[in-house]
Amino acid sequence: MITISLCMIVKNEADVLERCLASAKDIVDEINIVDTGSTDQTVEIAKGFTDRVFFYKWTGDFSAARNESMKYATKDYILYLDADDVILPEDQKKFLKLKETLNPNVDAVSMYYHAGTDGFGNVTLKYRLNRLLKRTKGFKWQGDCHNYLNVSGHIINSDIAITHKKQQHSVGRNLNIYQKRKERGDTFTARDYFYYGNELRENGHYQEAIDSYNKNLELKTGWIEDKVYACINKADCYRFLNQAEQELAALFQSLNYAKVPRPEICSRLGFHFQSQHAYQQAVFWYELATQLETDPNKWSFTYPAYSTWYPHLQLCVCYYKLGNFEKAFEHNERARVYRPEDERILYNKQLLENKRS
């Protein structure tokens, strides 16, 4: 059976660190914590789980700090987590089984990252990350903000998920890092332009975000999946700016890169036409969103809402507008499976039951 070193960087994570370490302690054989300047009880909490607590002066470079933490690993494989991540009980069982059965010739294991959940326990964003790394391969982190692992070799995909349970969002932190890079005159890659666009969009700078996404698309380099979402996210910006024609063009542009429809595109197209009161066209795109299957080996972002409750809820609205109350009720019920206490869905249910009686 393989052995595992958990390697983490932390700073002022007293509110969440114990929860994270408690979820991982029975899986890993060693815990290495690198503190980058905590002023709360983070270090004391870490020492309750391990005596391997180290200190590193924060430089503003996440990759450098993560690479520092991995230097202390001594076991066969390295697992990395953020302090606000947890391994849920069902995934703990899967992880222990993987540990018992993993072929040591494997260089890395990818796992799902459930980056967000809604109030009903539905995953709102997931994607794959290389999460378990063979120590002797010496894989390194790159990038100073949205960092990533440069991994190669024999990689397998698992169905294990790491769940992100963030308590607060560091508004503007990553945006400031990118802006300082621009001020220094750093050269941006296609990936940089994509993630800088995301930070701008999340902070309400929609036109600047569009410009950054366009710079990503102008470059021939970069991951095709980033270009798909550069178009989708650009469309969102146009919608926030009330520029419907540009929104529609950006959504169809995303199909040029994706090659086949995706729920994230179809549901947005449905909403575009719904907003124009073109309900039949909206129904077409929403129905398609519910019929598409997601590849379990897909590495890019997946937003499950766009293939589940969201298009069904909107189909309820569209069919209601078209006077088809049976269809409206059917889709509202399908949405209710995912969000049984959603006030909008419960309101629709009562309204439509009265219409059908």
Side-chain angles (χ1 to χ4, degrees):
M1 183 168 65
I2 64 161
T3 56
I4 301 174
S5 296
L6 172 61
C7 297
M8 299 177 60
I9 60 170
V10 296
K11 182 178 180 180
N12 293 334
E13 301 287 3
D15 292 341
V16 294
L17 182 58
E18 183 173 1
R19 180 186 67 188
C20 173
L21 294 176
S23 75
K25 65 182 178 63
D26 295 330
I27 295 170
V28 302
D29 303 281
E30 173 184 88
I31 298 175
N32 301 290
I33 305 290
V34 169
D35 185 82
T36 62
S38 293
T39 56
D40 61 5
Q41 299 300 306
T42 293
V43 171
E44 288 78 0
I45 293 170
K47 287 182 176 179
F49 287 86
T50 179
D51 58 359
R52 298 178 62 80
V53 179
F54 309 96
F55 300 91
Y56 178 76
K57 184 177 180 180
W58 178 246
T59 65
D61 187 331
F62 282 95
S63 288
R66 289 190 188 276
N67 288 330
E68 176 72 13
S69 74
M70 289 165 60
K71 285 167 48 177
Y72 296 105
T74 67
K75 304 303 179 182
D76 300 330
Y77 285 82
I78 295 172
L79 169 69
Y80 69 91
L81 296 172
D82 290 331
D84 45 11
D85 292 337
V86 296
I87 308 173
L88 297 178
E90 190 61 32
D91 292 299
Q92 292 175 27
K93 294 176 185 176
K94 293 178 182 179
F95 211 135
L96 288 169
K97 184 175 181 180
L98 173 74
K99 185 178 178 182
E100 292 174 357
T101 59
L102 185 66
N103 186 328
N105 291 328
V106 171
D107 296 316
V109 180
S110 83
M111 300 178 186
Y112 290 118
Y113 192 39
H114 290 173
T117 53
D118 65 18
F120 302 93
N122 300 305
V123 176
T124 56
L125 170 61
K126 69 177 183 178
Y127 47 91
R128 284 194 171 277
L129 292 172
N130 285 309
R131 183 66 71 169
L132 194 64
L133 316 165
K134 183 179 282 189
R135 179 179 59 83
T136 56
K137 297 295 290 187
F139 297 128
K140 298 294 183 184
W141 289 91
Q142 297 181 4
D144 55 4
C145 181
H146 286 281
N147 40 93
Y148 61 97
L149 280 161
N150 191 2
V151 176
S152 60
H154 184 193
I155 302 169
I156 64 170
N157 296 337
S158 77
D159 64 349
I160 300 166
I162 305 299
T163 299
H164 187 59
K165 287 186 173 289
K166 197 168 186 66
Q167 291 192 328
Q168 58 184 1
H169 181 61
S170 301
V171 177
R173 182 192 66 185
N174 292 339
L175 179 59
N176 290 335
I177 292 174
Y178 278 117
Q179 289 175 334
K180 287 178 181 178
R181 289 189 59 194
K182 285 195 73 177
E183 291 169 5
R184 291 198 306 261
D186 291 359
T187 300
F188 274 35
T189 64
R191 186 177 191 275
D192 289 327
Y193 281 123
F194 174 68
Y195 281 101
Y196 183 39
N198 289 346
E199 295 298 332
L200 289 164
R201 175 176 54 86
E202 289 175 9
N203 284 275
H205 305 295
Y206 299 126
Q207 187 56 58
E208 293 175 67
I210 291 168
D211 294 340
S212 193
Y213 290 135
N214 282 334
K215 288 177 181 177
N216 167 279
L217 297 169
E218 288 166 6
L219 294 173
K220 300 301 182 184
T221 56
W223 192 27
I224 192 69
E225 291 294 328
D226 285 351
K227 297 188 185 299
V228 172
Y229 279 96
C231 297
I232 292 173
N233 295 345
K234 182 171 65 167
D236 287 347
C237 292
Y238 281 127
R239 186 175 71 253
F240 296 141
L241 293 170
N242 296 314
Q243 297 178 16
E245 290 185 10
Q246 292 91 330
E247 175 200 11
L248 185 61
L251 289 171
F252 283 127
Q253 184 184 21
S254 71
L255 290 170
N256 290 335
Y257 292 101
K259 305 304 180 187
V260 294
R262 299 184 183 187
E264 293 84 357
I265 301 171
C266 293
S267 281
R268 282 171 169 84
L269 285 166
F271 186 76
H272 171 87
F273 288 110
Q274 182 182 349
S275 300
Q276 305 296 315
H277 306 295
Y279 297 115
Q280 289 287 8
Q281 290 90 332
V283 163
F284 172 84
W285 290 107
Y286 284 135
E287 291 275 14
L288 184 57
T290 67
Q291 296 164 6
L292 297 170
E293 294 185 3
T294 300
D295 181 358
N297 294 311
K298 177 186 175 186
W299 279 73
S300 66
F301 300 145
T302 297
Y303 297 85
Y306 287 115
S307 61
T308 56
W309 68 267
Y310 176 79
H312 285 300
L313 179 58
Q314 300 304 331
L315 281 164
C316 167
V317 174
C318 290
Y319 277 119
Y320 181 87
K321 294 290 187 179
L322 292 168
N324 190 334
F325 302 136
E326 288 294 331
K327 277 284 191 180
F329 182 82
E330 172 192 333
H331 284 287
N332 193 66
E333 287 297 287
R334 294 179 71 177
R336 193 162 67 91
V337 171
Y338 299 95
R339 298 170 67 90
E341 303 301 324
D342 188 313
E343 292 181 359
R344 296 167 298 175
I345 294 172
L346 293 176
Y347 173 83
N348 293 345
K349 178 177 171 62
Q350 182 177 11
L351 174 67
L352 289 164
E353 284 176 341
N354 292 335
K355 287 283 186 181
R356 296 164 73 230
S357 61

